Amino acid sequence: MVLILDRSDPAGAIAAAAQRVSNRGRWGADDVLGTMNHLDEAKRAEGARLVRRGVAFSLAQSFDEHGPQKGWRRRTNPVHTMLSSGLDAEFGPEDFPHGLGGADDVVFMPLQASTQWDGLGHIFDHGMAYNGRRASQVVTSDGDQLTGIETVASLIAGRGVLLDVGRALGTDGELPDGFAITTQHLQATIDAQGECSRVGRGDLVLVRTGQLTRARRDGWGDYAGGPAPGLSFTTADWLRGTDIAGIVTDTWGFEVRPNEFDVAFQPLHQVAIPHIGLFIGEMWDLDVLADDCAADGVYDFWLTAAPLPVTGAVGAPVNPIAVK
Amino acid sequence: MVLILDRSDPAGAIAAAAQRVSNRGRWGADDVLGTMNHLDEAKRAEGARLVRRGVAFSLAQSFDEHGPQKGWRRRTNPVHTMLSSGLDAEFGPEDFPHGLGGADDVVFMPLQASTQWDGLGHIFDHGMAYNGRRASQVVTSDGDQLTGIETVASLIAGRGVLLDVGRALGTDGELPDGFAITTQHLQATIDAQGECSRVGRGDLVLVRTGQLTRARRDGWGDYAGGPAPGLSFTTADWLRGTDIAGIVTDTWGFEVRPNEFDVAFQPLHQVAIPHIGLFIGEMWDLDVLADDCAADGVYDFWLTAAPLPVTGAVGAPVNPIAVK
Amino acid sequence: MVLILDRSDPAGAIAAAAQRVSNRGRWGADDVLGTMNHLDEAKRAEGARLVRRGVAFSLAQSFDEHGPQKGWRRRTNPVHTMLSSGLDAEFGPEDFPHGLGGADDVVFMPLQASTQWDGLGHIFDHGMAYNGRRASQVVTSDGDQLTGIETVASLIAGRGVLLDVGRALGTDGELPDGFAITTQHLQATIDAQGECSRVGRGDLVLVRTGQLTRARRDGWGDYAGGPAPGLSFTTADWLRGTDIAGIVTDTWGFEVRPNEFDVAFQPLHQVAIPHIGLFIGEMWDLDVLADDCAADGVYDFWLTAAPLPVTGAVGAPVNPIAVK
Amino acid sequence: MVLILDRSDPAGAIAAAAQRVSNRGRWGADDVLGTMNHLDEAKRAEGARLVRRGVAFSLAQSFDEHGPQKGWRRRTNPVHTMLSSGLDAEFGPEDFPHGLGGADDVVFMPLQASTQWDGLGHIFDHGMAYNGRRASQVVTSDGDQLTGIETVASLIAGRGVLLDVGRALGTDGELPDGFAITTQHLQATIDAQGECSRVGRGDLVLVRTGQLTRARRDGWGDYAGGPAPGLSFTTADWLRGTDIAGIVTDTWGFEVRPNEFDVAFQPLHQVAIPHIGLFIGEMWDLDVLADDCAADGVYDFWLTAAPLPVTGAVGAPVNPIAVK
């Protein structure tokens, strides 16, 4: 099936896709886990068996003032400051007995500032949150009362699969900005990478576009919110049909940007989060892992990506660790 | 060997212990990893083989305003606020096209506020940091320039061992405040728990005292900085001799408090961090895991405890995930 | 008229008072200034003429971690951290040419943490904000869209009058916690202090209870939210009838606490802010000024109390300066 | 005297100027007030007599995410978030009895983010702070221990004088970026504006360049740290000789930028703050006041510019209020 998008009607396309892919009620009216339900204990045990060499990769960007944020919607880069430093310990007034010195620190950061998971309370469709709940009854100024990121704090550990679309289909490993990754592109990548890249129920799928590689080389530019390669709106059915637990890109916004409608803002989010209940990760740094996968031809691995359990967070920073 | 502490001479005891246990230079003058060097790929692969059932446990406390901090040294509990909420999406001005609504959030938090790893730049001995470096040349107001927590961001994944001293030696699973856990107590716990609890090179050792269980029941009280069970100063040699990669407690401060000298502040830290180069975790929530271990008698497991890589952080929040 | 409160019916008392004192529409449907309309240029010029000696008093508490907040509703004390310090300048790596060194800093603080003005968007009555607007259309997650504190940023400069009720009617200058200051008490204080204490249109009235003096001596205790002397609910008519521009106390919550109903929370706020449109200041430090007034018998002065114009703030920190 | 700067020798020029203008010891070895000593009670009383019409002007920029900061040295714009909003009050769960609703908020901001005073601990010369103190003994990670901004919290209220150099000497009211304002330019402006613009002991001098006007029209561009009109290094003697209490510009950095040496960073700061002990204000919005002064020909007025007394701050936000 080739989906043809009517560029002038995002609302119609969203409504139609939502109807096709909805997981509303699939795990009961009280469900708060969405697609993380797919990542059960059997799947997790399978994932752990992928560890062979014991080599570990962090998939997090650096959390610091040099990140991509430029202030859009009050999203700044993390600001890390010291409450005390080694200079105080060596040269400042004595704070502690017997020569003890200490350094402490604090951070201020938007939870969407860097490598993160979107929680199920991050996006709404016409005021509706995941599982048919009213947005206002899920996320108040006190945070997400039902689907806060803490609900999945222990769960996101399982089989990871890297789909290096940038390397499989791009030029020098990078897709150009505006490149819409379709189901066909995903399948072509799986075919190119081989059997270990098959995607199925409960998997955590990491899609590398190469945009972060480019930003690292050329500067952030408009990385945060600007043109980018990313998932096509038309992948909604694949995202639902595969029964994956989560999906991740190395870009700011997961979806291709500009979006594929004349006037639109992140329409695939509007289907994926409130309707599929899908966990989406953004701004992951997949490059070192991708080099390793290209080298040994093994694209699946054990992945732990437990978000920092800020109670009621609608998204959360994470230091994902892949182990092969 | 029974160590007798001279309560009036913490500085002398610290200096003597430091001389006995120092790892300075052990991994070269440029080393920034300390005991995390022990957790090599072979050890990591061994750890992964401990996954059998696929059940995962988060060992993090909740990161929110209900935590234990009371403001000592400007350490507050995390403050989480919303940049936008479901109420805005449902009832506020329209922000986005085609019915999209979004919620975003920020957090302000001391990095030592809740479940965390101490980095190697957290503690100094007479102005000296790990590996004989001057504190002032390691940690400035710009953060830790050499041993920031990001240096171990990908590494802390391996075999975890729970030593449930509270359950083995305490009353109703809890050690009283002020209880100093000695090497003998650790060994007795290992003996009680059985062979799977042996501790060796590269292991991540989780010591449960039961104090958090008590705080959960009775209120935080002085949990942050007050009397607590914890490691005796005399365990320094065991901490070094076992070649463990890291050690963790369910308490605020790792060590027994009040400390075992007349006038002292966290003397074991002063040996363990700058001299052993040991990674210490604090305020971990070990209770659910401990119940499971008690039930199935299996006290070792796969543990991923990758700190949030705030660049230059001297400590960092973490959502540790144990998988059995 | 002696008002008798029915302790069991705060809602009824609030509704009745609101009807008596409402300024809704008084300055037009678009008004955003409330009682600050009373402080016109003529009044301001009068206020300036009160300066005789040229002595200035700051009426702000210290903004730091030693303040009264204990975390209620995520209100912490201000956390001030350094981005660089004199230690970096003297001993750290060289940052700047020709020997220049610099120190910088940041602050995180709830806007209601210390000495402050409540803005007109701070309190609502049954979802209604000042001037009959719907709360949801005034204050969203983006802040107060209409009556943000910036609207009065330039205006709060005029005649200040200290009513030192603590000194006039208390013991050793302090009213006990739970003391409800009535209109009669205010008038008795004015009478005791003399003609310079008359209160009229456009004035900024500072009511000293002595509670802060007590907290300074005995510790904060429950200063933030606990029992306190303060204005009686029955003063609502006086607050409206005098046409004052603003009123201030040296307490956390302006009103007497416990409040004067069986089950209630700050009922006078519910009348004063959305119905009178009154500017209320809290946690001001009036003690040094009060000593001076007692010494020279002059209780009115020139007062500038311009809040920090955080755009959309529903309250704001302020360093009020009285000049006599 | 015409000062000729050797562009290749900022260090030499700084040292020479420092020797000529130093106020070290002028008010005793313990002094913490610097030039604020000039603003005595007699001067303050004089200032108050300048109020005639009672019209007040706020000279603060808006404190919000739309400010000029771009992250240099972790200086972000203020981030203001709501702890609760009118949406919660109207549509959220009931928080309070009898229909009370409330909104609260917090702010995170670098103290140098917007309209501010530099404190005496903000700048050092070769590790030396104001009055010959070692930088390390004045400003630690705990803030400024001696000359924190709170020391002048009550003092900065007196006679303000606007020198609208942009209007007097610029094109369409604006000086071009890179324009170095010399003593001659200041004098020419005073001459053009007339007798009310004379500058003397204890005055607070506001220098308008017009750069903010330009930024408001054209966008911030490099306002924060880029090229700008500003005071010439050669004004150091005038700054000292006039015995003014403080000086302010409508620019980010007070001094002309690029600075007047081949390789330099803010050399006039290095003389003015640690040697003269001068209070410098930056990023003030002088435009509305300037229009009024041009209209009525009165360039002096009452100015209250009391910084928010964040304990130990080396700079502080302020909402300055001029009253004519």
Side-chain angles (χ1 to χ4, degrees), chain A residues 96 100 104, chain B residues 61 67-73 75-77 112-118 122-123 177 207 209 211-212 215 220-230 248-259 264-266 269 280-285:
Chain A
F96 295 109
L100 180 81
D104 257 35
Chain B
Q61 293 192 16
Q69 304 298 334
K70 298 194 168 170
W72 181 77
R73 293 178 79 79
R75 289 184 186 169
T76 65
N77 289 312
Q112 287 78 19
S114 187
T115 306
Q116 66 172 111
W117 280 113
D118 287 348
H122 181 49
I123 296 291
D177 293 336
V207 177
T209 70
Q211 194 207 13
L212 178 58
W220 287 117
D222 289 328
Y223 180 86
V248 161
T249 64
D250 56 350
T251 67
W252 171 84
F254 173 63
E255 312 184 33
V256 62
R257 290 181 61 82
N259 301 128
F265 189 82
Q266 303 290 77
H269 274 72
I280 296 176
E282 289 159 338
M283 291 184 270
W284 290 36
D285 182 353

Coordinates of all heavy atoms in Angstrom, one line a residue, chain A residues 96 100 104, chain B residues 61 67-73 75-77 112-118 122-123 177 207 209 211-212 215 220-230 248-259 264-266 269 280-285:
Chain A
F96 N 35.2 21.8 56.5 CA 35.1 20.5 57.1 C 36.3 20.1 57.9 O 37.4 20.7 57.7 CB 34.9 19.4 56.0 CG 33.6 19.5 55.2 CD1 33.7 19.9 53.8 CD2 32.4 19.3 55.7 CE1 32.6 20.1 53.1 CE2 31.2 19.4 54.9 CZ 31.3 19.8 53.6
L100 N 39.0 17.2 54.9 CA 38.0 16.8 53.9 C 37.6 18.1 53.1 O 37.4 19.1 53.6 CB 36.8 16.3 54.6 CG 35.6 15.8 53.6 CD1 35.9 14.4 53.1 CD2 34.3 15.8 54.4
D104 N 30.1 20.1 45.0 CA 28.7 19.8 44.8 C 28.2 20.6 43.6 O 28.8 21.6 43.3 CB 27.9 20.2 46.0 CG 27.5 19.1 47.0 OD1 28.3 18.1 47.1 OD2 26.4 19.1 47.6
Chain B
Q61 N 15.0 6.4 43.8 CA 13.9 7.1 44.5 C 13.1 7.9 43.5 O 13.6 8.2 42.4 CB 14.5 7.9 45.6 CG 15.1 7.2 46.7 CD 15.4 8.1 48.0 OE1 14.9 9.2 48.1 NE2 16.3 7.6 48.8
G67 N 11.2 14.6 48.4 CA 12.4 13.9 48.7 C 13.0 14.3 50.1 O 12.4 15.1 50.8
P68 N 14.1 13.8 50.4 CA 14.7 14.0 51.8 C 15.4 15.3 52.1 O 15.7 15.6 53.2 CB 15.7 12.8 51.9 CG 16.1 12.5 50.5 CD 14.9 12.8 49.7
Q69 N 15.7 16.1 51.0 CA 16.5 17.2 51.3 C 15.8 18.3 52.0 O 14.6 18.6 51.8 CB 17.0 17.8 49.9 CG 17.8 16.8 49.0 CD 19.0 16.3 49.7 OE1 19.6 16.9 50.5 NE2 19.4 15.1 49.3
K70 N 16.6 19.0 52.9 CA 16.0 20.1 53.7 C 16.8 21.4 53.5 O 16.7 22.3 54.4 CB 16.0 19.7 55.2 CG 15.1 18.4 55.4 CD 14.7 18.2 56.8 CE 13.6 17.2 56.9 NZ 13.4 16.8 58.3
G71 N 17.7 21.5 52.6 CA 18.4 22.7 52.3 C 19.8 22.8 52.8 O 20.5 23.8 52.5
W72 N 20.3 21.8 53.4 CA 21.7 21.8 53.9 C 22.6 22.0 52.7 O 22.5 21.3 51.7 CB 22.0 20.4 54.5 CG 23.4 20.3 55.1 CD1 23.9 20.8 56.2 CD2 24.5 19.5 54.5 NE1 25.3 20.5 56.3 CE2 25.6 19.7 55.3 CE3 24.6 18.7 53.3 CZ2 26.8 19.1 55.0 CZ3 25.8 18.1 53.0 CH2 26.9 18.3 53.9
R73 N 23.5 23.0 52.8 CA 24.4 23.3 51.7 C 23.7 23.6 50.4 O 24.1 23.2 49.3 CB 25.5 22.3 51.5 CG 26.5 22.2 52.7 CD 27.5 21.2 52.6 NE 28.6 21.6 51.8 CZ 29.6 22.4 52.2 NH1 29.6 22.9 53.4 NH2 30.6 22.7 51.3
R75 N 21.2 22.2 49.2 CA 20.7 21.0 48.5 C 19.2 21.0 48.8 O 18.7 20.7 49.9 CB 21.3 19.7 49.1 CG 22.7 19.5 48.6 CD 23.2 18.1 49.1 NE 24.6 17.9 48.9 CZ 25.3 16.9 49.4 NH1 24.7 16.0 50.2 NH2 26.6 16.8 49.1
T76 N 18.4 21.3 47.7 CA 16.9 21.2 47.8 C 16.5 19.9 47.2 O 17.3 19.2 46.5 CB 16.3 22.4 47.1 OG1 16.6 22.2 45.7 CG2 16.8 23.7 47.6
N77 N 15.2 19.6 47.3 CA 14.7 18.5 46.5 C 14.5 19.0 45.1 O 14.5 20.2 44.9 CB 13.3 18.1 47.1 CG 13.6 17.3 48.4 OD1 14.4 16.4 48.5 ND2 12.8 17.7 49.4
Q112 N 23.1 16.0 43.8 CA 23.2 15.1 45.0 C 21.8 15.0 45.7 O 21.8 14.6 46.8 CB 24.3 15.6 46.0 CG 25.7 15.3 45.5 CD 26.2 16.4 44.5 OE1 25.6 17.4 44.4 NE2 27.2 16.0 43.7
A113 N 20.8 15.4 45.0 CA 19.5 15.5 45.7 C 18.8 14.1 46.0 O 18.1 14.0 47.0 CB 18.5 16.3 44.8
S114 N 19.1 13.2 45.1 CA 18.4 11.9 45.2 C 19.3 10.8 44.8 O 20.6 11.0 44.8 CB 17.1 12.0 44.4 OG 16.3 10.8 44.7
T115 N 18.8 9.7 44.3 CA 19.6 8.6 43.9 C 20.7 9.0 42.9 O 20.4 9.6 41.9 CB 18.7 7.5 43.2 OG1 17.6 7.2 44.0 CG2 19.4 6.3 42.8
Q116 N 21.9 8.7 43.3 CA 23.1 9.3 42.6 C 24.3 8.4 42.7 O 24.4 7.5 43.5 CB 23.4 10.6 43.3 CG 23.9 10.3 44.7 CD 24.4 11.4 45.4 OE1 23.8 11.9 46.4 NE2 25.6 11.9 45.0
W117 N 25.3 8.8 41.8 CA 26.6 8.3 42.0 C 27.5 9.5 42.4 O 27.3 10.6 41.8 CB 27.2 7.8 40.6 CG 26.8 6.5 40.2 CD1 26.0 6.1 39.2 CD2 27.2 5.2 40.8 NE1 25.9 4.8 39.1 CE2 26.6 4.2 40.1 CE3 28.0 4.9 41.9 CZ2 26.8 2.8 40.4 CZ3 28.2 3.6 42.2 CH2 27.6 2.6 41.5
D118 N 28.4 9.4 43.3 CA 29.4 10.4 43.5 C 30.5 10.2 42.4 O 30.9 9.1 42.2 CB 30.1 10.2 44.9 CG 29.2 10.6 46.1 OD1 28.2 11.2 45.9 OD2 29.6 10.2 47.2
H122 N 34.1 14.5 43.6 CA 33.2 15.0 44.6 C 33.9 15.2 46.0 O 33.5 16.1 46.8 CB 32.1 13.9 44.8 CG 31.1 14.2 45.8 ND1 30.4 15.4 45.9 CD2 30.6 13.5 46.9 CE1 29.6 15.4 46.9 NE2 29.6 14.2 47.5
I123 N 35.0 14.5 46.2 CA 35.6 14.6 47.5 C 37.2 14.7 47.4 O 37.7 14.0 46.5 CB 35.3 13.3 48.4 CG1 33.8 13.3 48.7 CG2 36.1 13.4 49.8 CD1 33.3 14.4 49.6
D177 N 20.0 3.2 63.4 CA 20.9 4.3 63.1 C 22.1 4.2 64.0 O 22.0 3.8 65.1 CB 20.1 5.7 63.4 CG 19.0 5.9 62.4 OD1 19.0 5.3 61.3 OD2 18.0 6.6 62.7
V207 N 24.5 -2.3 49.2 CA 24.4 -2.6 50.6 C 23.1 -2.0 51.1 O 22.9 -0.8 51.1 CB 25.5 -2.1 51.4 CG1 25.3 -2.3 52.9 CG2 26.9 -2.7 50.9
T209 N 20.7 -1.3 54.1 CA 20.6 -1.2 55.6 C 19.2 -1.2 56.1 O 19.0 -1.5 57.3 CB 21.3 0.1 56.0 OG1 20.4 1.2 55.7 CG2 22.6 0.4 55.4
Q211 N 17.4 1.6 56.2 CA 17.1 2.9 56.7 C 16.0 3.6 55.8 O 15.1 4.3 56.3 CB 18.3 3.8 56.8 CG 18.0 5.1 57.6 CD 18.9 6.3 57.3 OE1 19.5 6.3 56.2 NE2 18.8 7.3 58.1
L212 N 16.1 3.3 54.5 CA 15.1 3.9 53.6 C 13.7 3.3 53.9 O 12.7 4.1 53.9 CB 15.5 3.7 52.2 CG 14.5 4.3 51.1 CD1 14.3 5.8 51.3 CD2 15.0 4.0 49.7
A215 N 12.5 5.2 56.8 CA 12.1 6.6 56.4 C 10.8 6.6 55.7 O 10.0 7.5 55.9 CB 13.2 7.2 55.6
W220 N 10.8 11.2 56.6 CA 12.3 11.4 56.3 C 13.1 11.7 57.6 O 14.2 11.3 57.7 CB 12.5 12.5 55.3 CG 12.1 12.2 53.9 CD1 11.1 12.7 53.2 CD2 12.7 11.2 53.1 NE1 11.0 12.2 52.0 CE2 12.0 11.2 51.9 CE3 13.7 10.2 53.3 CZ2 12.3 10.3 50.8 CZ3 14.0 9.4 52.3 CH2 13.3 9.4 51.1
G221 N 12.5 12.4 58.6 CA 13.2 12.8 59.7 C 14.6 13.4 59.3 O 14.6 14.3 58.4
D222 N 15.6 12.9 59.9 CA 17.0 13.4 59.6 C 17.7 12.6 58.6 O 18.9 12.5 58.5 CB 17.8 13.5 60.9 CG 17.3 14.6 61.8 OD1 16.8 15.6 61.3 OD2 17.5 14.4 63.0
Y223 N 16.9 11.9 57.7 CA 17.6 11.0 56.7 C 18.7 11.7 56.0 O 19.8 11.1 55.8 CB 16.5 10.5 55.7 CG 17.0 9.6 54.6 CD1 17.1 8.2 54.8 CD2 17.3 10.1 53.4 CE1 17.5 7.4 53.8 CE2 17.8 9.3 52.4 CZ 17.8 7.9 52.6 OH 18.3 7.1 51.5
A224 N 18.5 12.9 55.6 CA 19.6 13.7 54.9 C 20.6 14.3 55.9 O 20.4 15.4 56.3 CB 18.9 14.8 54.1
G225 N 21.6 13.5 56.3 CA 22.6 14.0 57.1 C 22.6 13.6 58.5 O 23.6 13.8 59.3
G226 N 21.5 13.0 59.0 CA 21.4 12.6 60.4 C 21.9 11.2 60.6 O 22.6 10.6 59.8
P227 N 21.7 10.7 61.8 CA 22.2 9.4 62.2 C 21.6 8.3 61.2 O 20.5 8.4 60.8 CB 21.5 9.2 63.6 CG 21.4 10.6 64.1 CD 21.0 11.4 62.9
A228 N 22.5 7.4 60.9 CA 22.1 6.4 59.9 C 23.0 5.2 60.1 O 24.2 5.3 60.6 CB 22.3 6.9 58.5
P229 N 22.6 4.0 59.8 CA 23.5 2.9 59.6 C 24.4 3.2 58.4 O 24.0 3.9 57.5 CB 22.6 1.7 59.4 CG 21.3 2.2 58.9 CD 21.2 3.6 59.4
G230 N 25.5 2.5 58.3 CA 26.3 2.7 57.2 C 27.7 2.0 57.3 O 28.0 1.4 58.4
V248 N 27.2 0.9 46.9 CA 26.0 1.7 47.0 C 25.3 1.4 48.3 O 25.4 0.3 48.8 CB 25.1 1.3 45.8 CG1 23.7 1.7 46.1 CG2 25.7 1.9 44.5
T249 N 24.7 2.4 48.9 CA 23.8 2.1 50.0 C 22.4 2.8 49.8 O 22.2 3.6 48.9 CB 24.3 2.7 51.4 OG1 24.4 4.1 51.3 CG2 25.7 2.1 51.7
D250 N 21.5 2.4 50.7 CA 20.1 3.0 50.6 C 20.1 4.2 51.6 O 19.0 4.6 52.0 CB 19.1 1.9 51.0 CG 19.4 1.3 52.4 OD1 20.5 1.5 52.9 OD2 18.5 0.5 52.8
T251 N 21.2 4.7 52.0 CA 21.2 5.9 52.9 C 21.8 7.1 52.2 O 22.3 7.1 51.1 CB 22.2 5.5 54.1 OG1 23.5 5.4 53.6 CG2 21.8 4.2 54.7
W252 N 21.6 8.2 53.0 CA 22.1 9.5 52.4 C 23.6 9.6 52.2 O 24.0 10.2 51.2 CB 21.6 10.6 53.4 CG 22.2 12.0 53.1 CD1 21.7 12.9 52.3 CD2 23.3 12.6 53.7 NE1 22.4 14.1 52.3 CE2 23.5 13.9 53.2 CE3 24.3 12.2 54.7 CZ2 24.5 14.8 53.5 CZ3 25.3 13.0 55.0 CH2 25.4 14.3 54.4
G253 N 24.3 8.9 53.2 CA 25.7 9.3 53.2 C 26.7 8.1 53.2 O 27.9 8.3 53.5
F254 N 26.2 6.9 52.9 CA 27.1 5.7 52.7 C 27.7 5.3 54.0 O 27.6 4.1 54.3 CB 28.1 6.1 51.6 CG 29.2 5.0 51.4 CD1 28.8 3.7 51.0 CD2 30.5 5.3 51.7 CE1 29.8 2.8 50.8 CE2 31.5 4.3 51.5 CZ 31.1 3.1 51.1
E255 N 28.3 6.2 54.7 CA 29.0 5.8 55.9 C 28.1 5.8 57.1 O 27.1 6.5 57.1 CB 30.1 6.8 56.2 CG 31.0 7.1 55.1 CD 32.2 8.0 55.5 OE1 32.6 8.0 56.7 OE2 32.6 8.9 54.7
V256 N 28.5 5.1 58.2 CA 27.7 5.2 59.4 C 27.8 6.6 59.9 O 28.8 7.3 59.8 CB 28.3 4.2 60.5 CG1 29.7 4.6 60.9 CG2 27.4 4.2 61.7
R257 N 26.6 7.1 60.5 CA 26.5 8.4 61.1 C 25.8 8.3 62.4 O 24.8 7.7 62.5 CB 25.8 9.4 60.1 CG 26.7 9.7 58.9 CD 26.0 10.6 58.0 NE 25.8 11.9 58.6 CZ 26.7 12.9 58.7 NH1 27.9 12.7 58.3 NH2 26.4 14.0 59.3
P258 N 26.3 8.9 63.5 CA 27.5 9.7 63.5 C 28.7 8.9 63.1 O 28.8 7.7 63.3 CB 27.6 10.2 65.0 CG 26.2 9.9 65.6 CD 25.6 8.8 64.8
N259 N 29.7 9.6 62.5 CA 30.9 9.0 62.1 C 31.6 8.5 63.4 O 31.3 8.9 64.5 CB 31.7 10.0 61.3 CG 31.0 10.4 60.0 OD1 30.9 11.6 59.8 ND2 30.5 9.5 59.3
A264 N 34.3 14.5 63.3 CA 34.6 14.0 61.9 C 33.5 14.3 61.0 O 32.3 14.5 61.5 CB 35.0 12.6 62.0
F265 N 33.8 14.3 59.7 CA 32.7 14.4 58.7 C 33.1 13.5 57.6 O 34.0 13.7 56.8 CB 32.5 15.8 58.3 CG 31.3 15.9 57.4 CD1 30.0 16.1 57.9 CD2 31.4 15.9 56.0 CE1 28.9 16.1 57.1 CE2 30.3 16.0 55.2 CZ 29.0 16.1 55.8
Q266 N 32.4 12.4 57.5 CA 32.5 11.5 56.3 C 33.9 11.1 56.0 O 34.4 11.2 54.9 CB 31.8 12.1 55.1 CG 30.3 12.4 55.3 CD 29.4 11.2 55.5 OE1 29.4 10.6 56.5 NE2 28.7 10.9 54.4
H269 N 34.7 8.6 53.1 CA 34.7 9.2 51.8 C 36.1 9.7 51.4 O 36.5 9.6 50.3 CB 33.7 10.4 51.7 CG 32.3 10.1 51.4 ND1 31.5 9.4 52.3 CD2 31.5 10.4 50.3 CE1 30.2 9.3 51.7 NE2 30.3 9.8 50.5
I280 N 30.9 5.6 44.6 CA 30.0 5.4 45.7 C 28.6 5.9 45.3 O 28.5 7.0 44.7 CB 30.4 6.2 46.9 CG1 31.8 5.6 47.4 CG2 29.4 6.2 48.0 CD1 32.3 6.4 48.6
G281 N 27.6 5.1 45.5 CA 26.2 5.5 45.2 C 25.4 5.7 46.5 O 25.7 5.0 47.5
E282 N 24.5 6.6 46.5 CA 23.8 6.9 47.7 C 22.3 7.1 47.4 O 21.9 7.4 46.3 CB 24.4 8.2 48.3 CG 25.7 8.0 49.0 CD 26.5 9.2 49.2 OE1 26.3 10.2 48.5 OE2 27.5 9.2 50.0
M283 N 21.5 6.9 48.4 CA 20.1 7.1 48.3 C 19.4 6.2 47.2 O 18.5 6.6 46.6 CB 19.7 8.6 48.1 CG 20.1 9.4 49.3 SD 19.6 11.1 49.1 CE 21.1 11.8 48.4
W284 N 19.9 5.0 47.1 CA 19.3 4.1 46.2 C 18.2 3.4 46.9 O 18.2 3.2 48.1 CB 20.3 3.0 45.7 CG 21.4 3.6 44.7 CD1 21.9 4.8 44.7 CD2 21.9 2.9 43.6 NE1 22.9 4.9 43.7 CE2 22.9 3.7 43.0 CE3 21.8 1.6 43.1 CZ2 23.6 3.4 41.9 CZ3 22.5 1.2 42.0 CH2 23.4 2.1 41.4
D285 N 17.1 3.0 46.2 CA 16.0 2.3 46.8 C 16.1 0.9 46.4 O 15.8 0.4 45.3 CB 14.7 2.9 46.2 CG 13.5 2.3 46.8 OD1 13.6 1.3 47.6 OD2 12.4 2.8 46.5

